[in-house]
């Protein structure tokens, strides 16, 4: 029998745990269910993790670390945006990309919300939930800063406050869609969110060539 390296064993168990949580919930994610999902023995589990709690902490960290993909590709590939995009264009493109990821893997999103609730209820694990949202805020702030650079705008609020509002809006969008699966309603929410967030930005004035003070301000 081929021996599986420890790193690969841990990765496989984390992915198995995510599948079980997404399909059946955290309560069903027992050690036996997870190893069965991974096609491993119970002994293999204990070579990789000391406890189920350690595995669950690793699972939260893994899925949170993957959140960068929710917005970054749109702003790192400006060709996806129209020429001379407005802030509304940029925000809407980011939200569309995010929503496409939600629609592509709704079970993952359900698992993320379930893991948040689990961490808040489980003694000693609340810091994991806080880290989860700190990461969301950081990813959103990165997107907010990029959007300003691409559109030539500046934010009227600190970027961390804009990012927090964006995360709140995407949370609502996600939960509502997971419950209703109403794409049209989700698109209406995206339009509203893009309009609302765009009002928090203002174009950076471009000095006129006819202005004798141009470049002196």
């Amino acid at each position: 029998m081929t021996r599986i390296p420890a790193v690969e064993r841990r990765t496989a168990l984390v992915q198995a745990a995510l599948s079980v949580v997404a399909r059946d919930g955290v309560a069903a994610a027992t050690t036996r269910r997870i190893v069965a999902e991974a096609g491993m023995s119970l002994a293999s589990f204990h070579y990789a993790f000391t406890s189920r709690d350690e595995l669950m902490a690793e699972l939260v960290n893994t899925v949170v670390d993957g959140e960068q993909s929710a917005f970054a590709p749109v702003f790192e590939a400006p060709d996806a945006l129209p020429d001379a995009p407005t802030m509304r264009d940029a925000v809407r493109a980011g939200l569309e990309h995010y929503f496409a990821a939600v629609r592509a893997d709704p079970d993952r999103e359900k698992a993320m919300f379930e893991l948040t609730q689990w961490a808040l209820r489980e003694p000693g694990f609340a810091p994991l939930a806080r880290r989860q949202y700190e990461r969301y805020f950081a990813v959103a702030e990165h997107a907010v800063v990029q959007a300003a650079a691409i559109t030539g705008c500046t934010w009227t609020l600190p970027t961390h406050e804009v990012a927090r509002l964006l995360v709140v809006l995407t949370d609502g969008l996600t939960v509502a869609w997971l419950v209703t699966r109403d794409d049209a309603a989700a698109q209406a929410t995206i339009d509203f969110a893009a309009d609302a967030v765009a009002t928090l930005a203002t174009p950076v004035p471009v000095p006129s060539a006819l202005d004798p003070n141009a470049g002196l301000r």
Side-chain angles (χ1 to χ4, degrees):
M1 181 177 177
T2 303
R3 183 179 178 81
I4 304 173
V7 172
E8 292 182 20
R9 184 182 291 117
R10 286 177 68 92
T11 299
L13 287 167
V14 166
Q15 290 304 313
L18 180 60
S19 296
V20 173
V21 171
R23 186 179 63 240
D24 304 315
V26 173
T30 63
T31 302
R32 291 185 182 278
R33 290 282 294 277
I34 291 168
V35 295
E37 183 78 20
M40 295 182 188
S41 68
L42 198 56
S44 294
F45 176 91
H46 292 293
Y47 278 116
F49 294 99
T50 58
S51 66
R52 174 183 176 272
D53 283 351
E54 184 189 354
L55 169 59
M56 298 303 285
E58 181 74 8
L59 173 57
V60 172
N61 288 331
T62 297
V63 292
V64 169
D65 286 343
E67 287 299 298
Q68 184 71 38
S69 63
F71 285 102
V74 172
F75 299 124
E76 290 173 5
D79 290 345
L81 295 170
D83 292 337
T86 64
M87 181 56 78
R88 185 188 188 282
D89 293 330
V91 173
R92 198 181 196 294
L95 290 170
E96 283 280 11
H97 182 76
Y98 168 83
F99 181 56
V102 172
R103 291 184 77 250
D105 195 357
D107 284 347
R108 181 181 185 279
E109 298 302 322
K110 287 192 293 183
M112 288 304 301
F113 281 114
E114 178 122 16
L115 285 166
T116 304
Q117 294 300 314
W118 170 82
L120 289 173
R121 288 192 301 265
E122 196 74 9
F125 282 84
L128 278 179
R130 287 195 294 272
R131 180 183 180 277
Q132 181 181 355
Y133 270 79
E134 285 167 3
R135 179 60 175 160
Y136 290 166
F137 296 144
V139 169
E141 186 169 11
H142 178 69
V144 160
V145 170
Q146 285 188 307
I150 290 168
T151 60
C153 291
T154 185
W155 294 102
T156 59
L157 293 176
T159 54
H160 71 273
E161 292 184 18
V162 180
R164 182 175 290 271
L165 292 172
L166 198 55
V167 171
V168 170
L169 288 166
T170 54
D171 264 6
L173 168 68
T174 304
V175 172
W177 183 82
L178 287 173
V179 173
T180 66
R181 304 301 169 107
D182 188 332
D183 290 349
Q187 290 298 326
T189 301
I190 288 172
D191 283 332
F192 169 80
D195 288 338
V197 174
T199 64
L200 302 176
T202 183
V204 176
V206 178
S208 169
L210 299 178
D211 184 349
N213 296 314
L216 299 180
R217 293 174 181 154

